[in-house]
Amino acid sequence: FLPQTCAYTHTHRIPANFCSSPMERGNQTRVRNFLLLGLSEEPGLQPLLFGLFLSMYLITAFGNLLIILAVSSDSHLHTPMYFFLSNLSFVDICFTSTTIPKMLVNIQTQSKVITYAGCLSQIFFFIVFGCLDNLLLTVMAYDRFVAICHPLHYTVIMHPRLCGLLVLGSWCVSVMGSLLETLPVLRLSFTNMEIPHIFCDLPEVLKLACSDTFVNNIVVYFVTIVLAVFPFSGILFSYAQIFSSILRISSARGKYKAFSTCGSHLSVVSLFYGTGLGVYLSSAATSSSRTSLVASVMYTMVTPMLNPFTYSLRNRDIKGALGACLVRVATVRDEVIGLS
């Protein structure tokens, strides 16, 4: 439930029935701000929320940085699969950095304000990195499909140039898709500026518009189909072919070895799309913004935090590389202490 209160500019109140664009009409040029209502307005819960989300952010950043460090420092991991994994880890860091730092600042300063430009920027980068997650997971599924279904041609097909082009193409497509969704927001007018969320989520922003959002919704559906449904279909097709190939392997050991090469990726795909589907179903099944908000927290914060654990716990190569990195760090530390 959202109270239809008036939104504030820096110095004055605008009536709720006055539909204006983000720039004041007439000769006034003061930019209006949005208000992020967050998870709770209880003062006693703010230190707990701050500590919880700060811990989640640090774990996410540190865990994914370790994956990048392990892949870059171990020559045995300079393969397409781990190249895509290190890119996914970088994207996950950026994905959480789009939303959590601003939320932490707002909690610490006891402010709910986010500028109009800041809100649009948050929408843009959130969509970019969300789409990149989709596309990189699809590219990784294709990599596993080639490795298991066409092992003799793997090195020929997945050569470094193709891997680089796949990542570059994912970036370009994600930026274009985000621009398609973000730019139409500029034409919208708003009265109520209170967003019942911890960040500027595009669907929630569109609900606040007092002008027609038909074009925006069409664009959102189109981009979702192209950059979410199609990639997910590609992942399903790849794994259908993978499972078909695994079932044709005669030995149980061969089946286990083949499946173990894609087990971590399959876990990440299940977690990513499972929580994403949970956000969609919770939004469609209930009008409660609180339920949708909790589901969004799972999707935007918990999933990127768990990805490093999924890969490090289920992958011997990553565990070995991380162990070697820690040994080198300890050796360097001991040498520094010895010199001092």
Side-chain angles (χ1 to χ4, degrees), residues 100-259:
I100 299 184
K102 174 59 179 175
M103 180 187 61
L104 292 175
V105 169
N106 283 2
I107 293 176
Q108 186 67 20
T109 60
Q110 298 182 355
S111 170
K112 299 179 182 296
V113 174
I114 182 170
T115 64
Y116 178 75
C119 188
L120 284 184
S121 299
Q122 202 171 67
I123 291 173
F124 172 78
F125 287 109
F126 183 81
I127 296 174
V128 166
F129 295 120
C131 290
L132 270 170
D133 264 332
N134 276 306
L135 296 176
L136 286 176
L137 288 174
T138 306
V139 169
M140 294 172 75
Y142 174 70
D143 172 73
R144 293 299 85 205
F145 162 74
V146 175
I148 294 174
C149 299
H150 305 282
L152 298 179
H153 302 92
Y154 179 74
T155 54
V156 176
I157 297 174
M158 300 302 297
H159 53 83
R161 183 180 178 184
L162 176 62
C163 295
L165 288 175
L166 287 172
V167 172
L168 178 61
S170 297
W171 274 93
C172 293
V173 171
S174 298
V175 170
M176 290 174 60
S178 184
L179 285 173
L180 282 175
E181 291 195 68
T182 307
L183 291 179
V185 178
L186 294 173
R187 54 176 285 274
L188 298 179
S189 303
F190 300 89
T191 51
N192 180 23
M193 309 293 282
E194 296 181 347
I195 304 174
H197 217 297
I198 56 176
F199 63 92
C200 286
D201 191 27
L202 180 58
E204 295 295 335
V205 173
L206 293 181
K207 290 177 184 178
L208 303 181
C210 60
S211 50
D212 184 28
T213 59
F214 177 77
V215 173
N216 300 77
N217 290 326
I218 292 298
V219 171
V220 168
Y221 293 143
F222 172 76
V223 173
T224 300
I225 291 173
V226 173
L227 297 183
V229 177
F230 285 173
F232 183 59
S233 301
I235 292 174
L236 293 179
F237 174 79
S238 296
Y239 273 103
Q241 298 299 311
I242 289 172
F243 290 145
S244 177
S245 296
I246 291 177
L247 291 176
R248 289 197 295 266
I249 299 175
S250 56
S251 67
R253 183 175 182 179
K255 290 180 179 179
Y256 174 78
K257 184 177 180 180
F259 184 77

Side-chain angles (χ1 to χ4, degrees), residues 66 69-77 315-333:
L66 280 180
L69 178 62
V71 172
S72 60
S73 63
D74 192 334
S75 59
H76 296 94
L77 301 184
N315 192 297
R316 292 180 180 178
D317 294 333
I318 291 293
K319 285 192 288 187
L322 288 175
C325 284
L326 293 177
V327 169
R328 284 197 290 269
V329 169
T331 302
V332 171
R333 182 197 62 186

Side-chain angles (χ1 to χ4, degrees), residues 21-76:
S21 62
M23 286 290 185
E24 296 294 325
R25 294 177 183 247
N27 295 325
Q28 298 177 358
T29 59
R30 295 175 183 176
V31 179
R32 297 174 63 192
N33 298 325
F34 287 100
L35 297 177
L36 297 173
L37 299 185
L39 279 171
S40 173
E41 297 184 6
E42 291 292 332
L45 287 178
Q46 301 310 306
L48 176 63
L49 292 175
F50 181 84
L52 174 64
F53 290 128
L54 178 61
S55 301
M56 293 173 66
Y57 180 65
L58 292 178
I59 292 172
T60 301
F62 183 69
N64 283 287
L65 281 174
L66 280 180
I67 295 291
I68 297 172
L69 178 62
V71 172
S72 60
S73 63
D74 192 334
S75 59
H76 296 94

